[in-house]
Amino acid sequence: MQLRIVVFSCSVGMVSSESGLFDVDVIVLDEVHYLSDISRGTVWEEIIIYCPKEVQIICLSATVANADELAGWIGQIHGKTELITSSRRPVPLTWYFSTKTALLPLLDEKGKHMNRKLSLNYLQLSTSEVKPYKDGGSRRRNSRKHADMNSNNIVTSFGQHQLSKNSINAIRRSQVPQVIDTLWHLRSRDMLPAIWFIFNRRGCDAAVQYLEDCNLLDECEMSEVELALKRFRILYPDAVREPAIKGLLKGVAAHHAGCLPIWKSFIEELFQRGLVKVVFATETLAAGINMPARTAVLSSLSKRTASGRIQLTSNELFQMAGRAGRRGIDNRGHVVLVQTPYEGAEECCKLLFAGVEPLVSQFTASYGMVLNLLAGAKVMHLSNESDDMKALQAGRSLEEARKLVEQSFGNYVGSNVMLAAKDELCKIQKETDVLTSEISDDAIDRKSRRLLSEAAYKEMANLQEELKAEKRFRTELRRRMELKRFSALKDILKDFENGHLPFLCLQYKDSEGVEHSVPAVYLGKFDSLDSSKLKNMASINDSFALNRLAQSNGDDYDTQDVKPSYYVALGSDNTWYTFTEKWIKTVYRIGFPNVALAQGDALPRETMSLLLDKGEMLWEKLADSEFGGLWCMEGSLETWSWSLNVPVLSSLSESDEVLHMSFEYHDAVENYKEQRTKVARLKKKIARTEGFKEYKKIVDTVKFTEEKIKRLKARSKRLTKRIEQIEPSGWKEFLRISNVIHETRALDINTQVIFPLGETAAAIRGENELWLAMVLRNKILLDLKPAQLAAVCASLVSEGIKVRLWKNNSSIYEPSTTVINVINVLDEHRSSFLELQEKHGVEIPCCLDSQFSGMVEAWASGLTWREMMMDCALDDGDLARLLRRTIDLLAQIPKLPDVDQRLQKNAVDASNVMDRPPISELAG
């Protein structure tokens, strides 16, 4: 008996409820954890929901934490399901950590904890002759004496030492290895071939160029590569990536979305033959490609996105690590994590021990889904004069559709996990309320009366009331001191606006209460800098409201009108900081002279302002207060040299501080200190009273209870986050979308009558099927030539395609006037449709971007690939992706119902002329 099997990989396309599966016995969903992927998750769930019960489903994945929930869901909607799990890996993995000087095991011998030699304190000790703490002044020890110390003793001695953020950053920067450093260790330990993950294309290409002089191949292997390259050049002359040839002949290559598909296939073939020893790749290589290696190297645990730098998830880590170890070739696979300025071994272990994450449903409704589920009777035009209708099929009612939609994985998990989580939340809230009542002032007073004698109680109560009053006054004096400091700082920083750029120290506590001191160079006042991006941030973000009033609570001293202002500085950690006076610990006289380095150069303040304005303004809040927040934003390679010239705090002298020059601030500090001393003396007096011992027991119990409440609130926060993850919203979205469909007359949701617009939209594959159908049914497209039609279609599918800013050239191909006019007309329709979506709360994108239409029109007109790439600001792979998306849409048009035949013919002609090497399916 022959089994008929369909295998869906992570690149599976859309599936509709009307798609038939004929003569299929088994469906294999490989990498089923993509059910959690925002862009693919709905399709995965639709496959399982709509799959006929007689067809067997096999789901495979190595990174699913809640496999029991997945199996239970499939069992409920599809039939009897068996869960098979195994923790055995055919090729075991060993984890390493690479620093500037060594490649060490990441874990200890038992694999339960981090290798002690990778701790920050150990690394600090191994690179410095100064002990990392003070004991009656700085103590220096001979480096040889340190070297003779037992490593265990070192960790014991310094394991509890708490380092500042600045110290941590300095240690990490000093330990960051070059690519060649890590590669040397891999080669000397026979750990090649390796896949080296770098999370941006530019970094992959730069790494290849960096290693062009490092030969990893012998003469025989180099000859094989040359021969393979000659054959490839004969078959696909336009697909050869010329800048990569030199590195390829040395055994290194890049593999990312900026490369042509056929070139990537060529690299994969050479890698599998052992002719490429190191492939620098983006994380997309971790899925869907059969390309295992002996070693997987991760250049970082975080990557930069449009919303800022984010940490990898544990699932992403394990997916990339899973590339290490070739079955039948290697006894062990190796995973190497690399020290970066942002993460060290501690962060690596934290992510590693976190384990895989649970699947989270991403099931969302779309126009195609709603139309296919509800479509019933079809409008039939029997004659030019008649609008009679004929029912061809029975549509589902809203209730029937709801039952299908609510079969999603999110609903299943919600019905079980959410109920348990909500019950747990209720219990936590009740326990928190009880504990809070036990530590109220009344409760403490009652306990004191019960445990203390009447005389002792009266004495303690009177002293405690006095202490509270003195503490309130101390708080008030501290506030006055802060405002006096603000006033003094304003005057000081104002004096520096046009002079040199002084150094200053920023100080704050993070979310865990750890205090950080950051040396930085002052740039200027937020609203005085000539930066359009900064000013735009201030106008759109209330958190950056300038000159926000401090709350003076009606105090009668002359600092009520002090208004905190925002300032900008560059830290020694190559991070931009935006802050108010609240976060400035001190300002120094010394700094960068605001003098041009060479004749004709811009002044340092102007140069740094330009560097700041080049950034993407992705600010992250570090701390907040009533006097404004402290924000940070990652610097760039261009600001790195400036940050390196900011001195460490220990080298800055107290005599250079200028804050003490304010007499008003000095008096406020002295008043605060006197009151603080008074409070301390009163505490000592209380400690000598008769009832203090018993009262201290009550206070200790209160502290213990407060810690317990804190833990309960943390647990409550985690549960709330979990509920937000699993709470289904599919049906609400379904109804909102159905309202848009009803109002556009694509389908009558009351009678299930589907109109021609709905028929076309139901048959299209795309992000916004209804918008695509509206465009393709527009008569304005009928008079377009094939190349012009291709250009308009490209404007509908160019979402996510971006110009590479580091390229100094730009596309010289502008769309024809006809294409521009058509897109302008469509843009008016798009605006109306977006308003309709907004009215019903639907947020599905409607792409229409003419930026690349001219390039597609040129390609469809017969321009060669070489001519296209001569003046193109796109990477090869991006242009290929844009052309293939356009071809895919053109190829759909002839198959769509109720589309004009002229449009269908032009789409076929455009698709045929565009589908040619090096982007044709045969080539890719």
Side-chain angles (χ1 to χ4, degrees):
M1 174 180 159
Q2 184 176 5
L3 279 178
R4 288 149 295 191
I5 301 175
V6 176
V7 179
F8 291 103
S9 68
C10 59
S11 58
V12 66
M14 289 298 295
V15 176
S16 75
S17 60
E18 301 304 320
S19 299
L21 289 175
F22 303 105
D23 300 323
V24 173
D25 298 302
V26 180
I27 291 178
V28 179
L29 297 177
D30 192 17
E31 310 289 1
V32 74
H33 54 265
Y34 276 97
L35 186 143
S36 284
D37 186 80
I38 292 176
S39 60
R40 304 179 179 99
T42 298
V43 179
W44 285 101
E45 293 198 41
E46 284 186 299
I47 292 171
I48 296 171
I49 292 171
Y50 300 140
C51 180
K53 295 189 183 297
E54 62 271 15
V55 177
Q56 185 180 4
I57 298 177
I58 298 175
C59 300
L60 306 173
S61 178
T63 51
V64 177
N66 54 340
D68 54 338
E69 291 179 356
L70 178 63
W73 171 62
I74 296 174
Q76 179 174 294
I77 66 170
H78 188 73
K80 185 180 178 181
T81 301
E82 191 172 341
L83 175 62
I84 302 172
T85 60
S86 173
S87 58
R88 177 182 173 273
R89 180 181 168 86
V91 182
L93 292 181
T94 304
W95 296 78
Y96 293 90
F97 191 77
S98 176
T99 66
K100 190 173 184 177
T101 57
L103 180 67
L104 299 171
L106 177 64
L107 307 176
D108 60 14
E109 293 180 358
K110 295 182 179 180
K112 301 294 184 183
H113 302 283
M114 185 184 76
N115 183 353
R116 291 184 172 188
K117 292 185 178 181
L118 294 173
S119 69
L120 284 167
N121 288 293
Y122 189 98
L123 292 175
Q124 183 192 44
L125 188 64
S126 65
T127 57
S128 173
E129 295 184 359
V130 182
K131 264 198 172 185
Y133 67 89
K134 294 181 179 180
D135 184 13
S138 297
R139 296 182 180 179
R140 298 183 178 272
R141 295 290 184 268
N142 186 282
S143 58
R144 292 182 181 177
K145 185 174 181 180
H146 284 314
D148 294 336
M149 293 175 67
N150 180 276
S151 62
N152 290 334
N153 290 335
I154 292 173
V155 174
T156 302
S157 300
F158 302 106
Q160 300 301 318
H161 174 62
Q162 195 174 65
L163 298 169
S164 67
K165 181 182 178 182
N166 188 55
S167 299
I168 292 172
N169 289 335
I171 296 168
R172 285 176 174 169
R173 286 200 300 270
S174 70
Q175 291 294 325
V176 175
Q178 298 288 336
V179 172
I180 192 68
D181 299 329
T182 304
L183 181 60
W184 184 87
H185 288 294
L186 298 181
R187 190 178 186 186
S188 64
R189 300 187 186 197
D190 193 26
M191 292 169 67
L192 298 179
I195 296 175
W196 200 307
F197 291 103
I198 298 177
F199 302 117
N200 64 80
R201 307 175 190 180
R202 195 178 179 186
C204 293
D205 293 335
V208 171
Q209 293 178 358
Y210 179 72
L211 295 178
E212 283 180 348
D213 297 327
C214 180
N215 194 3
L216 301 178
L217 303 178
D218 57 33
E219 292 184 5
C220 181
E221 290 171 328
M222 192 179 297
S223 298
E224 286 190 60
V225 173
E226 289 176 343
L227 180 60
L229 194 55
K230 286 179 182 178
R231 290 174 178 168
F232 184 85
R233 194 183 292 275
I234 293 171
L235 291 172
Y236 314 110
D238 289 340
V240 177
R241 203 161 190 255
E242 297 294 346
I245 299 301
K246 188 174 179 181
L248 193 61
L249 293 173
K250 297 299 178 68
V252 294
H255 185 294
H256 53 69
C259 307
L260 281 170
I262 186 61
W263 179 258
K264 290 194 288 186
S265 298
F266 178 56
I267 298 300
E268 292 163 20
E269 179 189 342
L270 293 181
F271 188 82
Q272 290 164 2
R273 290 170 57 188
L275 300 177
V276 171
K277 304 300 182 182
V278 180
V279 167
F280 294 97
T282 52
E283 68 268 34
T284 52
L285 189 144
I289 299 175
N290 181 26
M291 195 172 164
R294 178 168 294 167
T295 301
V297 183
L298 275 72
S299 63
S300 173
L301 286 186
S302 60
K303 53 186 176 180
R304 191 159 191 169
T305 67
S307 56
R309 181 170 289 276
I310 63 170
Q311 190 181 59
L312 297 177
T313 66
S314 53
N315 282 19
E316 289 171 328
L317 171 65
F318 289 120
Q319 279 293 313
M320 286 181 273
R323 286 286 159 190
R326 299 165 296 177
R327 187 179 298 190
I329 301 177
D330 301 320
N331 294 324
R332 297 194 72 84
H334 310 290
V335 184
V336 178
L337 305 176
V338 180
Q339 173 74 62
T340 75
Y342 313 104
E343 310 102 9
E346 290 86 355
E347 288 78 11
C348 294
C349 288
K350 185 177 181 180
L351 193 60
L352 178 61
F353 291 136
V356 296
E357 297 176 326
L359 292 182
V360 177
S361 176
Q362 300 293 345
F363 189 84
T364 54
S366 65
Y367 288 111
M369 176 196 295
V370 174
L371 286 164
N372 282 306
L373 284 178
L374 296 182
K378 177 181 177 182
V379 171
M380 299 293 292
H381 296 279
L382 300 179
S383 67
N384 291 336
E385 295 81 20
S386 174
D387 283 336
D388 294 339
M389 293 182 293
K390 180 180 177 183
L392 296 182
Q393 60 182 4
R396 295 181 179 87
S397 66
L398 278 175
E399 188 57 36
E400 290 171 329
R402 179 170 187 163
K403 287 180 181 178
L404 269 176
V405 172
E406 289 186 343
Q407 286 185 1
S408 72
F409 180 57
N411 272 72
Y412 172 81
V413 174
S415 62
N416 294 283
V417 179
M418 193 182 294
L419 289 175
K422 286 183 176 178
D423 286 344
E424 181 69 14
L425 272 178
C426 288
K427 292 178 182 176
I428 290 174
Q429 186 59 51
K430 288 178 181 177
E431 187 175 357
T432 302
D433 291 342
V434 171
L435 292 174
T436 303
S437 67
E438 291 178 357
I439 60 172
S440 65
D441 290 342
D442 289 340
I444 294 173
D445 187 67
R446 287 194 299 271
K447 289 180 182 178
S448 300
R449 285 179 180 275
R450 188 172 64 250
L451 294 176
L452 303 179
S453 66
E454 185 176 349
Y457 168 76
K458 285 183 179 180
E459 182 184 21
M460 183 62 68
N462 291 333
L463 288 173
Q464 286 295 333
E465 281 299 319
E466 186 180 350
L467 180 62
K468 287 179 183 179
E470 296 297 345
K471 282 183 174 181
R472 282 194 295 268
F473 188 50
R474 182 188 62 182
T475 302
E476 183 57 40
L477 288 177
R478 179 166 187 163
R479 178 183 173 78
R480 294 187 188 187
M481 179 181 68
E482 281 283 285
L483 294 175
K484 290 293 185 183
R485 190 169 67 89
F486 289 2
S487 181
L489 285 168
K490 276 184 180 295
D491 293 338
I492 291 169
L493 295 177
K494 188 176 180 180
D495 292 339
F496 288 121
E497 282 298 321
N498 298 313
H500 79 281
L501 286 69
F503 300 130
L504 49 80
C505 174
L506 301 175
Q507 192 171 69
Y508 70 97
K509 287 186 178 180
D510 60 23
S511 57
E512 297 179 357
V514 178
E515 190 171 85
H516 300 282
S517 297
V518 183
V521 57
Y522 172 71
L523 184 58
K525 198 174 179 181
F526 196 102
D527 54 349
S528 66
L529 291 171
D530 187 19
S531 170
S532 58
K533 288 187 178 180
L534 270 183
K535 291 173 182 176
N536 185 52
M537 285 293 299
S539 64
I540 64 175
N541 192 333
D542 289 337
S543 300
F544 284 98
L546 301 178
N547 295 325
R548 184 167 57 177
L549 278 168
Q551 301 170 3
S552 60
N553 296 325
D555 296 314
D556 56 356
Y557 48 91
D558 56 2
T559 52
Q560 295 179 16
D561 59 343
V562 174
K563 301 174 181 178
S565 300
Y566 275 97
Y567 304 90
V568 179
L570 178 68
S572 62
D573 53 357
N574 195 30
T575 299
W576 290 106
Y577 290 93
T578 297
F579 51 90
T580 63
E581 296 88 349
K582 163 72 179 176
W583 311 105
I584 302 176
K585 182 184 179 183
T586 190
V587 181
Y588 298 91
R589 290 190 184 87
I590 59 173
F592 293 163
N594 198 33
V595 179
L597 299 178
Q599 189 173 2
D601 286 356
L603 297 176
R605 192 183 300 275
E606 296 170 2
T607 303
M608 292 179 70
S609 296
L610 288 173
L611 294 177
L612 173 65
D613 211 34
K614 289 176 72 173
E616 296 181 53
M617 294 294 149
L618 303 174
W619 294 97
E620 175 188 352
K621 183 178 286 187
L622 287 175
D624 199 12
S625 77
E626 60 178 320
F627 298 113
L630 172 67
W631 301 72
C632 72
M633 178 178 70
E634 185 182 340
S636 62
L637 289 174
E638 294 168 297
T639 60
W640 188 257
S641 59
W642 291 92
S643 69
L644 292 176
N645 286 294
V646 178
V648 296
L649 292 174
S650 58
S651 67
L652 294 168
S653 172
E654 290 184 5
S655 61
D656 288 324
E657 295 182 14
V658 293
L659 187 57
H660 67 268
M661 293 170 61
S662 167
F663 295 109
E664 288 186 344
Y665 173 61
H666 182 268
D667 290 341
V669 170
E670 291 303 315
N671 291 336
Y672 170 71
K673 286 181 178 179
E674 288 177 10
Q675 183 61 22
R676 189 174 60 184
T677 302
K678 190 173 182 180
V679 169
R681 287 173 179 167
L682 188 55
K683 285 182 177 180
K684 289 180 179 179
K685 183 178 179 180
I686 293 174
R688 292 193 295 268
T689 60
E690 176 189 344
F692 178 73
K693 279 190 177 181
E694 293 297 329
Y695 185 78
K696 189 175 182 303
K697 291 178 183 179
I698 299 173
V699 172
D700 290 343
T701 303
V702 168
K703 289 180 180 178
F704 178 80
T705 305
E706 286 174 343
E707 285 296 319
K708 191 172 182 179
I709 291 172
K710 187 177 178 181
R711 291 193 298 270
L712 286 171
K713 286 183 177 179
R715 167 71 175 156
S716 177
K717 189 175 180 181
R718 289 194 298 270
L719 282 171
T720 302
K721 185 177 180 181
R722 175 66 170 145
I723 288 173
E724 289 172 355
Q725 286 180 326
I726 64 180
E727 190 165 17
S729 58
W731 180 244
K732 295 175 185 176
E733 183 71 10
F734 189 97
L735 290 177
R736 287 193 286 264
I737 289 173
S738 65
N739 289 333
V740 177
I741 287 173
H742 182 77
E743 193 161 335
T744 55
R745 299 300 293 164
L747 178 139
D748 189 313
I749 61 173
N750 298 314
T751 63
Q752 280 81 53
V753 173
I754 187 168
F755 296 91
L757 174 61
E759 284 187 85
T760 306
I764 291 179
R765 288 181 292 109
E767 188 169 19
N768 191 318
E769 302 92 340
L770 188 56
W771 164 240
L772 293 176
M774 287 178 168
V775 173
L776 297 179
R777 292 180 59 80
N778 196 311
K779 302 300 181 185
I780 198 173
L781 301 186
L782 298 183
D783 296 327
L784 294 178
K785 296 176 181 178
Q788 294 170 337
L789 176 61
V792 173
C793 287
S795 71
L796 302 171
V797 296
S798 60
E799 184 77 25
I801 304 294
K802 294 182 180 179
V803 172
R804 298 301 156 201
L805 298 177
W806 58 84
K807 293 199 172 185
N808 294 323
N809 51 12
S810 61
S811 170
I812 62 173
Y813 304 107
E814 295 293 334
S816 61
T817 303
T818 302
V819 171
I820 292 175
N821 291 338
V822 169
I823 291 178
N824 288 338
V825 172
L826 293 175
D827 194 40
E828 295 178 7
H829 297 314
R830 176 176 174 269
S831 298
S832 300
F833 184 60
L834 285 173
E835 288 179 8
L836 179 62
Q837 284 197 155
E838 186 178 357
K839 171 185 171 183
H840 293 288
V842 175
E843 297 180 356
I844 303 177
C846 303
C847 183
L848 186 69
D849 184 358
S850 62
Q851 183 180 8
F852 306 115
S853 295
M855 301 171 68
V856 175
E857 188 175 5
W859 176 255
S861 299
L863 211 65
T864 67
W865 183 262
R866 190 158 299 184
E867 289 171 325
M868 294 280 292
M869 294 310 299
M870 282 177 61
D871 295 285
C872 181
L874 293 178
D875 283 342
D876 302 26
D878 284 329
L879 180 56
R881 192 172 305 106
L882 174 65
L883 296 175
R884 287 245 50 97
R885 286 183 188 176
T886 306
I887 293 169
D888 178 65
L889 181 57
L890 289 168
Q892 289 187 64
I893 293 175
K895 303 171 186 176
L896 298 176
D898 209 63
V899 171
D900 194 283
Q901 290 184 350
R902 285 175 292 173
L903 186 67
Q904 292 179 336
K905 181 182 182 304
N906 285 338
V908 171
D909 292 343
S911 177
N912 288 339
V913 74
M914 288 182 67
D915 197 5
R916 64 184 193 270
I919 65 154
S920 62
E921 289 288 6
L922 291 176

